[in-house]
Amino acid sequence: MFSKLASRLLPIHVRRYTHMTAPYTILADDAAIPKPDLDDRHYRIIQLQNGLKAILINDPDSDKSAAALDVNVGSYNDPKDLPGLAHFCEHLLFLGTEKYPKENDYNVYLSTNSGYSNAFTSSLHTNYYFEIKNDALHGALDRFSQFFIKPLFSPSGKDREINAVDSENKKNLQSDLWRLYQLSKSSTSDAHPHNGFSTGNKVTLGELPLQKHVDVREELIKFHSENYSSNIMCLSILSNESLETLTDWTVEMFSSIENKSLKPPIYTNSPFNSANYINQLYKVKPIKNMRSLQLSFPIPSTDQFWEYIPNNYISHLIGHESEGSLLYNFKEKGWANGLSSGASKISPGYSEFNINVELTLEGLNHYREIIEDVFRYFQMLRDNGPQKWIFDELHKESLNAFKFKQKSAVASTVSRFAGKLHDLSFYNVPMHDPLRTLDINTVTVDHIPPNEFLTLSITKKFDPQLISDLLDYLNPSTFRIFLISNEIFANGTVDDSEIQREKWYNTEYV
């Protein structure tokens, strides 16, 4: 019940077991984990001796089971001369293991038992997950775990999976979302891996390595050996099986993953190239007929302020739609149909705060006035200072959203939870100028109490100075603008000689 929120004030009861009994530690058990009122699932968070963390979920009414493993390795780990290698690893990992050497054994087992699998690679994570009928979960977990113990990286599947990666990239080439995201990345500092090309294609993984006499499969095996380790992996399993059974299966099947004592990646060089972030304007030609104004501000990451979530206070006010808000003002003038804002983490210590305005044709002609209004709004927020009553509204809103949260589908639940479980340990990076190099000597490792895991979406504490400090980073001296519209490039308004093209997606911009 939701009344269990009070239990987060109680000490965590950690049960430790000797190697003679059970080689794991219970970090948080069901009775100590606050849950939404409507959530009848039971939870347990454990850590194996090899460092792997797992959240185990018993849902007696579930007609399907699911599991996910998230490794704190992503496209940022790609070698400079092999863009897309982490993504390629995600594809090739599933092609057989020493215990189950047939390439398609895993997928055949899943499909035979009403299941499926999927995976994705992000900047800092690779996430693998599957869903299956309940009585086939044990067999699926046995096959799944072997990919992280003894994968074969089948030589016969190499070319096929390079083609699969290439097809995925070709599909994205016509997506404005992907095109704009890559342009944003490509225009950051090449001293930070955020600048890179994460997907990979037939050129980066096939043609260029072949020209350089580089064996991509050997490089992949080296990549896996140097980057995959149990202590930076998190597992999530959901089933109608009991927590005790799920614990036993986790120990049985995932304890053999090798612990190489790797540290989660951290990058000291700023991703924000100052030349590209000081009033820099990019006019971009989209594929679809769209008009958008995007403002991007470098800010420090705020992982250590998990109880305060200061970005939410700012994005709540900027994205508000009531009278007096930015969007209300723009609609009154006929300049915009929508507005959204929020922060996105790039790597420990570095984030971006983005504001996106969905423009009308009239708004496109007044984009400079829109930018001026945004900064006037920022100044108004500074002049009035953070308000406790606004925080109280956000706190109540987040509390109610948690209280009445519905259960989500099993596969999406385990995939999300496996990724979020990494958040229980994080780099505590002092607030610093995000355009400057990070002093690694000031960085410490911190931890969130495991029984807070489900409540991390709740805004718990108010710190007006923290909000004011973060708001100060949203200033006109350090930001950049993306103005996106086909009209900008119509009727010869832009000289063809001025047009540049982004390297990976060929996106036109000036």
Side-chain angles (χ1 to χ4, degrees):
M1 296 295 292
F2 184 67
S3 60
K4 287 183 183 176
L5 267 178
S7 69
R8 66 185 179 85
L9 302 176
L10 301 175
I12 301 170
H13 298 285
V14 177
R15 295 194 312 191
R16 298 189 180 276
Y17 296 83
T18 67
H19 186 69
M20 297 298 293
T21 54
Y24 65 94
T25 300
I26 294 182
L27 303 179
D29 219 342
D30 190 58
I33 299 175
K35 296 182 291 188
D37 281 358
L38 304 175
D39 191 349
D40 58 358
R41 290 169 172 168
H42 305 284
Y43 300 86
R44 174 180 291 173
I45 300 175
I46 68 172
Q47 184 167 14
L48 303 184
Q49 282 190 347
N50 63 2
L52 181 145
K53 292 187 182 73
I55 180 166
L56 311 174
I57 309 161
N58 160 251
D59 186 343
D61 299 323
S62 180
D63 60 351
K64 287 290 184 72
S65 296
L69 189 144
D70 189 288
V71 57
N72 201 170
V73 173
S75 61
Y76 285 178
N77 297 77
D78 285 347
K80 272 279 190 181
D81 56 350
L82 280 173
L85 191 64
H87 184 208
F88 183 50
C89 181
E90 170 216 309
H91 276 250
L92 213 61
L93 189 74
F94 285 113
L95 302 186
T97 63
E98 282 194 8
K99 186 172 182 179
Y100 299 100
K102 290 184 179 178
E103 279 189 17
N104 63 345
D105 181 275
Y106 173 65
N107 286 325
V108 168
Y109 183 86
L110 292 179
S111 60
T112 304
N113 291 283
S114 306
Y116 72 93
S117 72
N118 210 337
F120 62 85
T121 303
S122 65
S123 300
L124 292 162
H125 295 266
T126 307
N127 189 289
Y128 306 87
Y129 61 95
F130 70 84
E131 181 181 299
I132 199 165
K133 66 181 184 180
N134 288 329
D135 60 8
L137 176 61
H138 186 275
L141 286 174
D142 190 32
R143 287 163 173 78
F144 185 64
S145 63
Q146 291 300 314
F147 293 123
F148 308 98
I149 298 170
K150 291 288 184 179
L152 294 178
F153 296 113
S154 169
S156 62
K158 185 193 75 170
D159 292 338
R160 182 177 69 248
E161 293 308 316
I162 288 177
N163 287 331
V165 168
D166 189 65
S167 295
E168 194 173 326
N169 178 66
K170 285 178 178 175
K171 171 178 62 69
N172 295 337
L173 293 178
Q174 297 303 306
S175 165
D176 283 317
L177 183 67
W178 277 94
R179 292 164 67 86
L180 295 171
Y181 177 58
Q182 184 60 53
L183 176 59
S184 173
K185 281 158 47 75
S186 295
S187 54
T188 58
S189 171
D190 60 6
H192 190 286
H194 186 63
N195 174 266
F197 173 48
S198 59
T199 311
N201 58 28
K202 190 181 289 187
V203 175
T204 66
L205 296 171
E207 295 173 10
L208 290 179
L210 191 63
Q211 291 172 13
K212 298 175 183 178
H213 306 289
V214 172
D215 187 324
V216 172
R217 180 175 174 271
E218 288 301 317
E219 291 298 317
L220 177 59
I221 293 171
K222 178 183 175 184
F223 174 88
H224 183 271
S225 174
E226 293 178 349
N227 291 283
Y228 273 51
S229 174
S230 59
N231 72 302
I232 56 171
M233 292 179 180
C234 289
L235 175 71
S236 177
I237 307 175
L238 188 157
S239 177
N240 65 344
E241 298 286 351
S242 70
L243 290 178
E244 293 302 328
T245 297
L246 295 178
T247 301
D248 290 343
W249 288 357
T250 301
V251 172
E252 170 195 345
M253 287 179 266
F254 293 88
S255 293
S256 296
I257 301 175
E258 184 180 356
N259 183 1
K260 301 167 187 173
S261 300
L262 301 181
K263 294 180 180 179
I266 186 169
Y267 305 94
T268 57
N269 290 323
S270 173
F272 306 115
N273 185 331
S274 58
N276 294 342
Y277 273 85
I278 300 178
N279 298 314
Q280 184 70 30
L281 170 63
Y282 296 86
K283 295 181 178 180
V284 187
K285 184 177 182 180
I287 297 291
K288 294 183 178 179
N289 186 23
M290 62 179 289
R291 303 180 196 94
S292 178
L293 173 67
Q294 297 179 7
L295 310 181
S296 176
F297 300 84
I299 62 171
S301 64
T302 56
D303 293 343
Q304 66 269 43
F305 304 115
W306 58 273
E307 293 179 286
Y308 302 86
I309 322 182
N311 292 317
N312 282 7
Y313 181 98
I314 299 173
S315 61
H316 168 74
L317 292 178
I318 295 173
H320 214 279
E321 299 182 10
S322 64
E323 187 172 355
S325 68
L326 279 170
L327 181 58
Y328 185 91
N329 173 47
F330 297 152
K331 282 186 173 181
E332 285 283 290
K333 295 177 178 178
W335 291 351
N337 295 317
L339 186 151
S340 60
S341 69
S344 58
K345 179 179 172 181
I346 290 179
S347 67
Y350 300 103
S351 292
E352 260 185 330
F353 193 93
N354 297 300
I355 300 173
N356 181 62
V357 184
E358 182 187 334
L359 299 173
T360 63
L361 182 57
E362 185 67 16
L364 181 64
N365 297 324
H366 291 274
Y367 77 90
R368 293 185 183 276
E369 291 98 316
I370 290 175
I371 295 171
E372 290 171 2
D373 281 353
V374 168
F375 283 107
R376 275 194 284 267
Y377 191 79
F378 289 168
Q379 190 57 50
M380 182 270 291
L381 295 180
R382 292 189 185 95
D383 291 343
N384 286 279
Q387 303 293 308
K388 179 66 162 56
W389 68 269
I390 296 176
F391 164 79
D392 289 340
E393 283 190 354
L394 285 173
H395 170 69
K396 185 175 181 180
E397 183 181 294
S398 65
L399 206 59
N400 286 335
F402 174 78
K403 180 178 180 180
F404 299 111
K405 186 176 183 180
Q406 301 281 337
K407 291 195 296 187
S408 55
V410 293
S412 60
T413 296
V414 295
S415 176
R416 185 176 73 257
F417 278 9
K420 280 175 60 66
L421 202 56
H422 290 284
D423 295 344
L424 294 181
S425 298
F426 61 91
Y427 287 116
N428 189 335
V429 182
M431 296 276 278
H432 71 292
D433 181 351
L435 268 69
R436 296 189 179 276
T437 299
L438 177 64
D439 182 359
I440 195 67
N441 295 317
T442 65
V443 178
T444 58
V445 176
D446 211 338
H447 305 277
I448 297 173
N451 63 327
E452 294 274 16
F453 179 73
L454 295 180
T455 71
L456 290 177
S457 61
I458 300 174
T459 306
K460 302 178 177 73
K461 294 182 179 180
F462 178 57
D463 184 339
Q465 188 59 53
L466 176 59
I467 295 170
S468 294
D469 290 345
L470 201 59
L471 192 58
D472 284 342
Y473 288 101
L474 309 185
N475 64 74
S477 65
T478 311
F479 82 113
R480 60 180 180 167
I481 308 156
F482 292 93
L483 185 63
I484 305 146
S485 171
N486 284 296
E487 283 90 354
I488 299 172
F489 294 80
N491 303 319
T493 52
V494 173
D495 190 325
D496 287 347
S497 64
E498 297 176 357
I499 295 176
Q500 301 182 63
R501 287 174 173 80
E502 194 275 326
K503 178 178 180 180
W504 300 108
Y505 284 75
N506 205 35
T507 304
E508 295 182 32
Y509 69 97
V510 291

